[in-house]
Amino acid sequence: MRRSASLQSLLIYGLSGPIIALNVWLLSVLFRYFQHPITILSIAAILAFLLNYPVKLFERARITRTQSVIIVLLITLTLLIILGVTLVPMVIDQTIQLLNNIPDWLASSQDNLGKLQVLARQKRIQVDLSLVTSQINAGVQNLLQQIASGAVGFAGILLSALLNIVLVVVLAFYMLLYGDRVWYGLINLLPSHFGIPFSKSLQLNFQNFFLSQLLLGLFMVVALTPIFLFLRVPFALLFAIIIGISELIPFVGATLGIGLVTLLVFLQTWWLAFPVAMMAIIMQQIKDNILAPKLLGNFIGLNPLWIFVAILMGFEIAGLLGTLVAVPIAGTIKGTFDAIKNSKHGNSVYSYTVVNDSKFSEDE
């Protein structure tokens, strides 16, 4: 009996790896085939998750659900129009200037690295920076070629982006109005001991995670913009926005954003790169150690190693979108199985607080 049990366990653990790998491959194939509709639906769902917070606030003021959704969408569209008129042109202008200045920065970076090479030789430090220079030049030139090839169809890309934005807003509107009915209908198809904790865990992870990431990214933009302006960093607003947007990628996004901005500043003025990196790292530490624990808390409860694995798998399956949703999906899976495990030990399945009210709260 013991041998048969050990053999069964060996088979289960031995086959789980190939099965997981096969499922990951199938998901990546399906995503590439239905990439556009999945991306539109995912962004609309995330937007609906975020807008559900103000909708709930208006509902508490005894305004109907439909009226609350319309008010929130009108406010959101107004804010987007204001940003589109004020902030977006500035960012586009700075982006164009940055792309035009990169070739000149490459030339100046070679001179800066040459000066560092001479200084290192004077200090009797054997350092060869020629390989670094060639790698930087090759990487940036490759990036410029990709941008130039994509800029050929800029008008078509812009029109497609505007249509996608309209689709996202329309889908988010209908998700806010009728998403609960569709979602609860799908959940009712699952066994109750799995469907209810899965629904609550999904709401908890996605709503809190993306709202927290957006607030943390906004903090980095607001904090770094005046600092970069004070340091007279070129393209201060654009660089602060790059670091803030990179905050949407959990765990490694901020490091990648700060590294990219530091590299771009180094290409132009090498001595300015150090204070830029230091101030960005200081703001990142304030965010990670003071703001993030209050906003994120421990609602995901994942080991950092598993977070990194989830991000890698998400990127392999769905690219950038996969990296954005990998952590809340992993947190949803963990929260669901933890709730089921607790229920088997006699604990309540609903031992955690859910931000969003739902019909299931009546059964608690």
Side-chain angles (χ1 to χ4, degrees):
M1 293 293 293
R2 292 181 178 177
R3 290 184 177 179
S4 61
S6 61
L7 180 61
Q8 184 179 4
S9 300
L10 182 62
L11 288 175
I12 291 174
Y13 289 113
L15 292 176
S16 60
I19 291 174
I20 292 174
L22 179 62
N23 287 330
V24 170
W25 177 76
L26 288 175
L27 286 174
S28 63
V29 172
L30 288 174
F31 179 81
R32 290 185 180 94
Y33 190 78
F34 300 102
Q35 182 175 2
H36 186 260
I38 291 176
T39 303
I40 295 296
L41 288 172
S42 300
I43 297 175
I46 293 172
L47 180 61
F49 265 119
L50 296 176
L51 294 181
N52 197 47
Y53 271 111
V55 169
K56 288 292 183 182
L57 292 177
F58 281 107
E59 283 186 305
R60 290 175 184 174
R62 297 182 179 180
I63 301 176
T64 63
R65 176 78 178 182
T66 303
Q67 292 175 343
S68 301
V69 170
I70 293 174
I71 292 173
V72 170
L73 281 180
L74 288 177
I75 294 174
T76 303
L77 289 175
T78 302
L79 292 176
L80 289 176
I81 291 173
I82 293 174
L83 291 176
V85 174
T86 58
L87 186 63
V88 173
M90 295 172 58
V91 174
I92 293 176
D93 182 61
Q94 289 193 9
T95 303
I96 295 173
Q97 292 182 24
L98 175 64
L99 295 177
N100 292 331
N101 289 337
I102 284 180
D104 296 332
W105 289 6
L106 286 174
S108 63
S109 67
Q110 291 180 348
D111 297 335
N112 294 332
L113 289 175
K115 294 177 182 179
L116 290 177
Q117 183 82 40
V118 173
L119 181 62
R121 289 177 179 175
Q122 292 176 354
K123 300 294 182 179
R124 296 181 180 179
I125 300 175
Q126 299 297 326
V127 177
D128 186 9
L129 298 177
S130 59
L131 180 61
V132 178
T133 304
S134 61
Q135 289 180 348
I136 292 176
N137 290 341
V140 176
Q141 287 176 1
N142 185 30
L143 177 62
L144 289 175
Q145 290 176 358
Q146 293 178 0
I147 294 174
S149 61
V152 175
F154 178 75
I157 294 174
L158 182 61
L159 179 62
S160 177
L162 292 175
L163 291 176
N164 290 335
I165 292 174
V166 173
L167 284 175
V168 167
V169 173
V170 172
L171 282 173
F173 173 76
Y174 282 104
M175 285 180 180
L176 286 170
L177 286 179
Y178 309 110
D180 286 347
R181 303 176 190 177
V182 176
W183 178 251
Y184 296 142
L186 294 175
I187 292 298
N188 288 332
L189 298 176
L190 302 174
S192 60
H193 71 278
F194 177 80
I196 296 176
F198 173 74
S199 176
K200 288 179 175 289
S201 180
L202 185 72
Q203 293 176 13
L204 179 68
N205 280 276
F206 268 80
Q207 263 187 333
N208 285 13
F209 180 81
F210 280 106
L211 181 62
S212 301
Q213 292 299 111
L214 285 174
L215 291 176
L216 293 175
L218 182 61
F219 165 77
M220 294 296 286
V221 174
V222 173
L224 288 177
T225 299
I227 293 175
F228 286 171
L229 290 174
F230 176 77
L231 294 174
R232 296 184 179 180
V233 178
F235 313 109
L237 177 61
L238 178 61
F239 287 162
I241 291 176
I242 290 174
I243 295 176
I245 292 177
S246 66
E247 285 291 335
L248 298 178
I249 303 175
F251 199 62
V252 296
T255 303
L256 295 176
I258 293 174
L260 176 61
V261 169
T262 303
L263 176 61
L264 291 174
V265 175
F266 178 82
L267 289 177
Q268 185 189 25
T269 311
W270 65 270
W271 56 266
L272 187 59
F274 178 75
V276 166
M278 287 300 299
M279 296 306 301
I281 291 173
I282 290 173
M283 290 297 105
Q284 182 190 7
Q285 292 302 311
I286 294 175
K287 171 190 69 70
D288 291 340
N289 297 303
I290 298 178
L291 297 179
K294 294 181 179 180
L295 290 175
L296 291 171
N298 195 30
F299 72 92
I300 292 179
L302 289 175
N303 186 289
L305 177 61
W306 290 117
I307 293 178
F308 190 71
V309 172
I311 292 174
L312 290 177
M313 293 182 65
F315 180 78
E316 182 64 27
I317 294 173
L320 179 59
L321 178 63
T323 61
L324 295 178
V325 301
V327 174
I329 288 177
T332 299
I333 296 173
K334 182 181 183 299
T336 302
F337 283 102
D338 285 347
I340 294 174
K341 187 187 300 183
N342 291 334
S343 66
K344 290 182 180 179
H345 289 84
N347 299 327
S348 174
V349 175
Y350 321 110
S351 57
Y352 48 83
T353 303
V354 179
V355 176
N356 186 23
D357 298 328
S358 66
K359 295 180 180 178
F360 293 121
S361 61
E362 300 174 358
D363 299 329
E364 295 183 17

